[in-house]
Amino acid sequence: MQDSYLEEILEFTNPDIREEYVNPHGTVRIGKVLEDLDALAGSIAYMHCDDNSAETIPLTIVTASLDRIDLLQSIPMDQDLRLSGHVTWVGSSSMEVSCWLETMSTPPPDPRETSYGVGVLAAQKRVPGKKILTAKFSMVARDPITGKAAKVNQLILETDEDRRLFRSGAEHKARKLMDSQFDLSAVPPSFEELNLVHELYKEYIQYLDPTYKREMPSNVQWMKDTVQQNLVMCMPQDRNIHGNVFGGYLLRLAFELASSTGMIFAKSRANFVALDDIKFKKPVKVGALLSLTSQVVYSSGRTFQVKVRADVIDPIKDEQSTTNTFHLTFEADHDVSRVMPRSYDESMRYIEGRRKKERWMRVSETNSTN
């Protein structure tokens, strides 16, 4: 596993670098960190598949999905951070790349060191501190000529930790397959979920039907009123080595729109908690018009779910197709309004968001136990 290990230091103690990552609130611009993570995962996957032969045409590797990102604690702006990761599981043509973001601590320089060597020696002494963020990416390899699935290098499991990570990767892949079998697009809502939708209907009809003479409470918002949109022209500067738009760039756009949507909904800062599975359904070409639509689909207490749909628009052919769907969990500093659906389509989004919230709670409990 360590053969594919890569790391990158974000030197937030350098004012010029910190300036690139700071947001208007003086905290870290998480969307930019997510963009860096996607680039790191791609580099790790290419390193793992390299056969060290200059005569071999490199495999084409693409991000199939971003399986999950969890923010374990707030990201400090006054410390250097380390992005690192390596391949933790492989199948026939697919790989799981696990990445981490950690704080870096540097011991104070020894007064006996010469001024010339202080910087170098201090950098060598930097050691990882607390783990801040974890992420898992699923990468797939394709033959660069035929485009068909290509076999990737297998892993030699040398230590107990290697075996634990590999076993965890296999279990994660099995859970993903099981979760996909219960997707709302394929499986109808459960009896309990249908009862919930009916209860919501009985409530919201009283706000719409004048015979009830019931005003909507101040702590309830219509789901349709939480929609925000953005339209972006995809530029050549944002392409990857395959000539398509870099996945990390799409991730950053989606995150920053979701964060802004959350601020408007909560009327306060929206603190990022987790990003659920993302499937990259199709590549986005340079020059495409990318339409991003975000909406708060579920809320409970201080937490709420924001769904972002990314569509590619072809104005010449008058066609539109969805390329990605993002589900993000945020937490406000106070209890937020209840979001209220008023159609079947919105009710299904509500149920989907509720399922994402329940899944996030299960994962959080598992992480705290481990």
Side-chain angles (χ1 to χ4, degrees), residues 90-95 139-142 148-152 154:
V90 295
S92 176
S93 61
S94 59
M95 299 159 280
M139 320 294 287
V140 294
R142 296 286 182 262
K148 296 182 178 179
K151 290 187 176 297
V152 300
Q154 296 300 295

Side-chain angles (χ1 to χ4, degrees), residues 1 14 17 31 63 134 138 154 159 191 196 203 227 245 279 288 293 297 305 317 331 352:
M1 289 187 181
N14 181 328
I17 294 178
T63 305
T134 63
S138 291
Q154 296 300 295
T159 67
F191 180 76
L196 174 60
E203 180 180 356
V227 173
V245 175
K279 292 182 180 179
T293 304
V297 294
Q305 313 297 124
K317 297 181 180 179
E331 186 176 65
E352 185 179 38

Side-chain angles (χ1 to χ4, degrees), residues 55-86:
E55 298 179 358
T56 304
I57 301 176
L59 298 175
T60 297
I61 298 175
V62 297
T63 305
S65 65
L66 196 169
D67 296 335
R68 189 164 185 87
I69 290 181
D70 287 289
L71 186 63
L72 308 179
Q73 63 181 67
S74 60
I75 302 177
M77 288 296 297
D78 57 351
Q79 299 181 50
D80 290 343
L81 304 176
R82 182 176 75 172
L83 289 169
S84 63
H86 58 81

Side-chain angles (χ1 to χ4, degrees), residues 122-255:
Q124 291 175 344
K125 290 180 180 178
R126 282 189 302 197
V127 294
K130 295 182 179 179
K131 189 172 291 184
I132 299 175
L133 181 148
T134 63
K136 291 183 181 293
F137 294 81
S138 291
M139 320 294 287
V140 294
R142 296 286 182 262
D143 186 287
I145 298 176
T146 65
K148 296 182 178 179
K151 290 187 176 297
V152 300
N153 293 327
Q154 296 300 295
L155 282 172
I156 300 173
L157 306 179
E158 300 178 303
T159 67
D160 288 342
E161 179 63 9
D162 286 354
R163 286 183 279 274
R164 185 191 71 81
L165 288 172
F166 189 88
R167 184 168 59 251
S168 176
E171 292 171 352
H172 180 252
K173 184 175 179 64
R175 283 196 302 270
K176 279 182 60 181
L177 181 60
M178 184 176 297
D179 288 344
S180 66
Q181 296 174 352
F182 293 95
D183 191 277
L184 271 175
S185 61
V187 180
S190 66
F191 180 76
E192 184 263 339
E193 289 170 336
L194 285 175
N195 274 338
L196 174 60
V197 170
H198 185 62
E199 290 300 319
L200 289 169
Y201 166 77
K202 289 196 299 183
E203 180 180 356
Y204 80 68
I205 199 64
Q206 297 180 50
Y207 307 140
L208 298 175
D209 191 336
T211 59
Y212 287 98
K213 298 181 180 180
R214 183 180 176 186
E215 292 187 2
M216 193 174 211
S218 59
N219 66 337
V220 179
Q221 288 191 46
W222 293 119
M223 185 185 291
K224 69 180 184 63
D225 293 335
T226 67
V227 173
Q228 302 294 331
Q229 289 184 297
N230 192 13
L231 187 63
V232 179
M233 171 75 78
C234 297
M235 300 296 178
Q237 294 88 343
D238 302 313
R239 69 184 183 275
N240 59 22
I241 60 175
H242 306 300
N244 298 316
V245 175
F246 176 46
Y249 172 71
L250 302 177
L251 180 58
R252 175 164 62 83
L253 290 178
F255 176 86

